[in-house]
Amino acid sequence: MTEHRAGPLAGLKVVELAGLGPAPFAAMFLADQGADVVRVERAGAGFAMPIDPRFDTLQRGKRMLSLDLKSADGLAAALELVEHADVLIEGYRPGVTERLGLGPDACLARNPRLVYGRMTGWGQDGPLAQRAGHDPTYQALVGSLHAIGRAGGPPQLPLSLVGDFGGGAMYLVSGILAALWERERSGKGQVVDAAIVDGVAHLMANPFSMLAGGAWNDERGTNLIDSGAPFVDVYRTSDDRYVAVAALEPPFYAQLLAGLRLDGDETLPGQWDRRRWRELRDRFAAAFATRTRDEWSEVFAGSDACVAPVLSMSEAPANEHLVARGTFLEREGCPEPAPAPRFSRTPSGFPAAPPVAPEDDPAQILSAWSAMSLPGR
């Protein structure tokens, strides 16, 4: 059984109905901060990620329990957990938990203080609520996918960071925490409807503001921060690697030019002369192509030119700054992102390893929970 840890959410009891992607990530985030998370694996459930369970970071810090939710005994065990929980997280299509007997009405009837977190792509209602989807389809509908990519090229998929985890999981977490705060005043739980389309649209607040204000073209790759500007872009180096540049402000731009030895060149186009941005980009590209990525890292070390090497996933954990901060931890010789954010008084410590196999005794979990309490419970 996973040992309960300290952290700002110590004492918070969470039931997660097992699924994929954003809902497990949200539950992992709560576990990282000290919550006691029980992931209920559905017996005979469908698709599972093809990964060694020892390295499934999304399951770290959790207890795992296998229940047949279609059986009377399995449903009764799940509802007993719900009765003692603070939070439930599920990521199924609308209506699935209702058919299982674990919908919001059934759970809140057993536990009126429960915060019931629902994670979907399209939301609990609307014409597409019952349709299948994945990260790119949600982004496609809200405008974010259209905005990401090179001018004249197709939209580019930004991994699943924008949709599943940014616009999905993190909005579910923030909604759950907001509902828990409200519960401290009302004494009542409620349902949190977190939809990826809503979250990604909310993340697009700045681009939509700029579009409305006339500072954004609704054409990808032509704007200030989408690779349209030559001083906010990535450039190939002589060793076929890349550096990232984001020298927006004049002092930073001046240091970029100094590092590239282009300062004082009267033939160089002005930073804000959009008509000559193509020429300026070509000059930058030619300069960056004269040295390796790591040589440019040395050139710009200690400067505010906002130039950084583009590191691979294999390289990033060894970066000096990230090592100093402990941004990554190591488990069985493999790098793993550490919990974030940090807290000054209630550190969570090293997260427990992902369980390799689920348990089958809910009584042990309830016994552990009986020794835990939150204010007002």
Side-chain angles (χ1 to χ4, degrees), residues 202-362:
H202 195 255
L203 289 174
M204 289 284 287
N206 186 53
F208 270 100
S209 296
M210 296 175 71
L211 180 65
W216 188 276
N217 299 315
D218 199 11
E219 180 182 348
R220 63 184 158 272
T222 63
N223 296 286
L224 187 61
I225 55 173
D226 67 351
S227 78
F231 44 88
V232 182
D233 207 343
V234 294
Y235 289 94
R236 186 189 300 268
T237 56
S238 65
D239 55 348
D240 285 331
R241 294 181 176 180
Y242 292 88
V243 294
V245 178
L248 276 164
E249 294 85 348
F252 304 160
Y253 185 72
Q255 293 186 54
L256 171 66
L257 297 187
L260 293 175
R261 297 182 180 178
L262 293 173
D263 54 330
D265 187 338
E266 295 182 357
T267 68
L268 193 71
Q271 180 182 6
W272 297 102
D273 187 352
R274 286 177 174 264
R275 295 171 301 175
R276 299 181 66 189
W277 270 3
R278 181 182 294 275
E279 181 184 348
L280 184 60
R281 188 186 310 278
D282 290 343
R283 295 288 298 275
F284 287 171
F288 277 115
T290 62
R291 299 191 186 191
T292 68
R293 183 197 68 181
D294 293 343
E295 287 173 339
W296 283 119
S297 295
E298 289 296 322
V299 168
F300 288 105
S303 85
D304 281 339
C306 300
V307 176
V310 177
L311 302 181
S312 70
M313 290 173 61
S314 299
E315 294 174 304
N319 175 262
E320 181 182 18
H321 178 77
L322 303 183
V323 169
R325 283 193 54 80
T327 301
F328 289 88
L329 53 86
E330 185 176 292
R331 196 187 302 279
E332 297 192 38
C334 296
E336 179 179 306
R342 320 287 176 80
F343 298 87
S344 63
R345 292 189 301 100
T346 53
S348 299
F350 195 92
V356 175
E359 306 167 18
D360 58 6
D361 187 0

Side-chain angles (χ1 to χ4, degrees), residues 59-205:
Q59 313 313 333
R60 71 183 180 193
K62 303 177 183 179
R63 309 177 196 268
M64 292 232 186
L65 179 65
S66 179
L67 293 176
D68 181 0
L69 297 180
K70 294 184 178 181
S71 72
D73 289 345
L75 176 60
L79 286 171
E80 189 169 8
L81 286 173
V82 165
E83 187 172 339
H84 294 84
D86 298 291
V87 176
L88 182 142
I89 291 176
E90 62 99 350
Y92 306 143
R93 290 199 207 187
V96 170
T97 58
E98 283 85 350
R99 291 192 292 274
L100 288 171
L102 286 168
D105 291 345
C107 289
L108 287 165
R110 293 285 292 264
N111 181 359
R113 290 176 55 87
L114 182 73
V115 172
Y116 194 108
R118 316 197 81 168
M119 182 77 261
T120 60
W122 303 115
Q124 294 296 316
D125 51 39
L128 297 178
Q130 291 296 334
R131 288 275 298 276
H134 277 299
D135 189 294
T137 55
Y138 310 135
Q139 288 197 60
L141 216 62
V142 299
S144 61
L145 192 59
H146 169 81
I148 300 172
R150 294 279 174 181
Q156 297 295 311
L157 298 179
L159 300 181
S160 55
L161 304 180
V162 174
D164 281 357
F165 299 107
M170 295 312 295
Y171 276 84
L172 177 59
V173 168
S174 61
I176 287 171
L177 296 179
L180 287 170
W181 170 250
E182 192 278 338
R183 188 183 73 177
E184 293 306 301
R185 300 188 300 282
S186 69
K188 298 179 180 179
Q190 60 181 305
V191 179
V192 178
D193 173 6
I196 295 173
V197 288
D198 299 342
V200 175
H202 195 255
L203 289 174
M204 289 284 287

